[in-house]
Amino acid sequence: GLQRTSKGLKLIDFSCKMAQGNGKLGKGAKSSGSQRRKAQKNQAYKGRRKVYNPKGKKAVQNREETQTSKAINRRNEAILSAKAINCGTRFFLSDVKEVGKKEINDQLKLRSKKEDREKKLSDRLRGQLRKLGREV
């Protein structure tokens, strides 16, 4: 902008004085989190992390956990393959198909066993007492 003075016109720089003008701000302070992330990113790669196999009590515990989870996974896979085969579409994976058929037969045996048990009068009465909360 121009300002009139006694010596004439004078050019005034408003960039520092205006609140919403082009006043340039310096860079803001970086957060500690961003600096930490940057430091981690620039670290040299030192290869794989060393993994130490557990020994003694921990090894036994880990083995038991893996065996349990594998058994659960096998059971879930059997149930899912039985459902997939039961829906009636053509199924091409032969190993899954065999597991599914076996599971369907097991479920049928279990269901018929329960139904046969309920046919006898004494068993039916026992079942009703069990539902009421009394053990016989």
Side-chain angles (χ1 to χ4, degrees):
L2 294 174
Q3 187 178 15
R4 192 176 295 262
T5 59
S6 60
K7 294 180 182 175
L9 292 174
K10 182 180 173 187
L11 189 63
I12 300 174
D13 184 20
F14 285 120
S15 63
C16 299
K17 296 179 181 178
M18 290 178 60
Q20 68 273 47
N22 308 2
K24 293 183 180 174
L25 298 171
K27 285 189 177 180
K30 289 190 175 180
S31 69
S32 61
S34 72
Q35 288 173 333
R36 200 177 316 120
R37 281 192 296 275
K38 191 173 181 183
Q40 283 176 348
K41 198 164 122 180
N42 293 338
Q43 274 182 346
Y45 179 67
K46 297 173 187 167
R48 286 178 40 190
R49 284 187 180 167
K50 294 203 176 191
V51 177
Y52 298 102
N53 290 330
K55 292 176 178 67
K57 191 171 144 185
K58 287 281 188 185
V60 172
Q61 185 180 356
N62 281 1
R63 202 175 313 121
E64 288 172 355
E65 285 176 5
T66 54
Q67 286 173 348
T68 305
S69 62
K70 282 182 180 180
I72 291 169
N73 289 342
R74 277 195 297 269
R75 182 78 184 122
N76 289 342
E77 184 183 306
I79 292 169
L80 287 174
S81 55
K83 285 182 181 179
I85 290 169
N86 244 357
C87 72
T89 56
R90 245 180 103 79
F91 214 76
F92 295 101
L93 300 170
S94 59
D95 55 339
V96 176
K97 189 191 239 179
E98 290 170 10
V99 171
K101 283 184 178 177
K102 188 172 181 282
E103 179 63 28
I104 290 170
N105 289 335
D106 289 348
Q107 287 178 358
L108 284 173
K109 280 180 190 174
L110 189 70
R111 189 172 62 205
S112 63
K113 194 175 178 183
K114 281 183 182 176
E115 288 173 354
D116 289 345
R117 206 179 299 140
E118 293 295 316
K119 284 181 183 172
K120 297 176 187 169
L121 179 65
S122 59
D123 288 334
R124 221 176 6 200
L125 291 173
R126 276 198 196 106
Q128 287 176 352
L129 284 171
R130 209 172 288 121
K131 282 180 187 173
L132 291 172
R134 296 181 184 167
E135 283 298 317
V136 181

